[in-house]
């Protein structure tokens, strides 16, 4: 079973999540700059943050499946589990925004980010458990970024108890860390291009 | 006619259904844990149930079309018939949630689940009617799970008359039964891999 | 330029239109059968009608591009023109429903259906104008169904002036005519399968 | 790394943006032609304008990736940056409409159009920076249309200070300029078809 349809379905869900969040942006009643900033300013910032997060997951998902792992029922559900957490972003982002970054909504937003990160780790390990074990492990190495993210999410949730706004700083930091593109898979594929057949380099036909 | 576009379209519709249900989740007005549980607690649970259901249909649909059936006009409409029932999930889920699992909305939710299950059975039989008759029948065998689901849906609808919450138990049970991945198609494809050409094993290019 | 991406994009737009219409369905405030029928009964019927229409366009679009026409800028825009009309269905369907099938909204709904039908005819002719001229013309023949639809739409719009409900009858009739699958393309492809290369039969890789 | 999944994801996002804008159209309360014009007239016009804009970006994006550029992490993010600007169209279009083309919302709409145009230029240059440098540059030449658009956007934003409605004229003009299909890529691909392998002509398998 190839990963083509799993990727197409995930692309669809991620594309919708990223776009649907805009529907949550309140359109200002008035028509001045002040109205825009007051009604939608915070919403645009949290939208930007969640957009970047979904973009990061899409980009990493894309890289992960470039390794063309074998796909069985367990991988399908590990992937759906990730999509479940990501699909809650519009909800937790809207609550964060509408309460002006209050304490509990910021914790819930952090837990949502943490849940998605854990689900992604599970997906990666589920794939690394199969016949592609060595390729995936070699490509991802010690996964420093992944572990740093989990630590930062927990730090952010902890900082909320000092002041909710402080908690957002580690969340933004995680986004910045990942915005630097992850070249591990690209490097791995390039390194093995000489040995493999030309077909192998092309990655999954989407 | 190959099944590629039918799968792409179905992936799109299922991806939207699964994501759009989140838009139905009411965002709490307050910012405490109590507000979250009272406003969105039930909604998150019914969202989870419907998410799992859509995930199951996507996963089974994926497996069914791995057999690469011939696609004609009748299969197209059997598939659209299934999508019609699934597209009503956000509506029936929202009604179930907003009425706090009242009697009639629970029956309607159960009828919606039942309708989708019957539509899926029709789709499977429509495919088994064509040139792929033997392959589909051999792959699916006696379809114990499918029959058990229909019985459980009817049991759930019956239990609603005792107490609406009771009716949800068989609905959850069906989801749990199907969450265990259906390995029949995988087993069938593996068993026939040695005989078929390598191309045949790859499943539909999505 | 192949038609693959045009089809993928159209699939996406049609999948969203078909699903987004459900968001327009008002969820009943009460929890009885009467509430369901009064709040959502008409909405479910008009949803069904528009769902079938979008399904028909998707199915015909699918068949049309099975002929693998050459795609240039003019075809791209003829296709976007069709999608524009179809994207208005959720809007005109909602107005028709919320005004309980009043005169003007029924006319507007009919004009929307008519506009989409004309746009589809233009798309078909735009394709038939290119190098695939003979294949498309031979496959579609005299297009009796297409002409009958245009006549029925005009009849429906005319009947609205007698009574709005009467106007819906020809609109439903068009849907029924098209629900009978259009076997012309399938027949054409089968007839030419023996002569063409095996590749030609496969239709567009989606 | 091929561009297939990047295209599929972009298709998904653009398909949703184009369709979701319809959800922003207010359905008239009354059922007369006057109600339609007063409630939805302006909304239908701005919807049409934004639909054409998204269509233009989809069409140009399609052409750009017909050149089958190499895709790395930087191209992924240049593409996501473009999608971010385009995803704001439903928001800025709704504000423009609901304030009846007031001054600030028209400027914001113009800035949104300008931001998307700059993001597209960055994407094009990011691609032209890689191994496909010469092919992309040769195909796009001096990009007169691209520069004219930027000038017209700035002119539109300036004209808003005279009268908001005036500012819309250059925005419409840009749409008209681009509606004339961009034949540069088609011409380039045709010119090089004779030299390249047959595979090269087919464009990206979507």
């Amino acid at each position: 079973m190839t990963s083509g349809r799993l990727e197409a379905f995930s692309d669809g869900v991620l594309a919708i999540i990223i776009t649907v969040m805009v529907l949550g942006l309140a359109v200002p009643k008035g028509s001045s700059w002040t109205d825009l900033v007051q009604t939608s300013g915070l919403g645009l910032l949290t939208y930007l943050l969640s957009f970047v997060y979904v973009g990061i997951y899409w980009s990493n998902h894309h890289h992960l499946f470039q390794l063309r792992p074998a796909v069985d029922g367990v991988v399908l559900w590990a992937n759906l589990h990730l999509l479940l957490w990501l699909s809650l972003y519009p909800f937790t982002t809207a609550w964060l925004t509408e309460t002006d970054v209050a304490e509990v909504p910021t914790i819930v937003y952090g837990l949502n980010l943490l849940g998605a990160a854990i689900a992604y780790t599970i997906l990666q390990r589920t794939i690394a458990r199969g016949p592609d074990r060595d390729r995936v492990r070699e490509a991802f190495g010690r996964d420093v970024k992944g572990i740093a993210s989990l630590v930062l999410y927990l730090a952010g949730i902890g900082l909320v108890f000092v002041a909710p706004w402080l908690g957002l700083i580690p969340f933004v930091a995680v986004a910045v860390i990942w915005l630097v593109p992850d070249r591990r898979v690209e490097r791995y594929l390039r390194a093995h291009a000489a040995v493999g057949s030309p077909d192998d380099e092309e990655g999954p036909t989407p």
Side-chain angles (χ1 to χ4, degrees), chain A:
Chain A
M1 205 191 294
T2 52
S3 60
R5 242 188 113 177
L6 183 148
E7 290 171 67
F9 183 69
S10 307
D11 279 355
V13 172
L14 293 177
I16 298 157
I17 292 169
I18 224 169
T19 324
V20 144
M21 275 190 296
V22 163
L23 294 180
L25 282 177
V27 176
K29 291 286 167 210
S31 61
S32 67
W33 291 106
T34 321
D35 292 317
L36 180 65
V37 172
Q38 278 179 357
T39 314
S40 321
L42 180 60
L44 286 164
L45 286 178
T46 54
Y47 172 64
L48 180 64
L49 184 59
S50 297
F51 185 99
V52 169
Y53 265 113
V54 176
I56 288 167
Y57 276 104
W58 177 74
S59 167
N60 286 352
H61 196 272
H62 183 170
H63 277 86
L64 183 58
F65 283 89
Q66 288 269 325
L67 295 167
R68 289 217 206 161
V71 170
D72 59 11
V74 183
V75 172
L76 287 190
W77 281 102
N79 190 57
L80 280 167
H81 177 230
L82 171 63
L83 296 180
L84 175 64
W85 284 101
L86 295 177
S87 77
L88 292 173
Y89 278 18
F91 174 73
T92 55
T93 305
W95 199 29
L96 181 74
T97 308
E98 288 176 21
T99 59
D100 281 320
V101 190
E103 195 178 290
V104 178
T106 314
I107 295 172
V108 169
Y109 186 71
L111 289 174
N112 193 2
L113 298 180
L114 184 65
I118 292 172
Y120 188 79
T121 308
I122 292 173
L123 174 63
Q124 202 169 287
R125 301 222 165 153
T126 308
I127 286 171
R129 152 211 71 119
D132 306 294
R133 187 184 175 121
D134 296 329
R135 285 164 65 211
V136 176
R137 294 209 181 156
E138 193 185 336
F140 285 100
R142 282 183 41 235
D143 200 13
V144 181
K145 265 189 186 180
I147 293 161
S149 305
L150 297 182
V151 172
L152 280 166
Y153 287 134
L154 290 172
I157 293 170
L159 279 172
V160 171
F161 294 99
V162 186
W165 276 94
L166 275 179
L168 290 182
I169 295 173
F171 300 161
V172 172
V174 174
V176 171
I177 289 179
W178 284 99
L179 263 173
V180 184
D182 189 344
R183 297 196 184 279
R184 288 175 298 179
V185 173
E186 292 174 29
R187 210 181 302 128
Y188 174 86
L189 287 172
R190 239 191 328 271
H192 292 65
V195 225
S197 72
D199 246 330
D200 277 326
E201 300 167 56
E202 277 188 8
T205 342

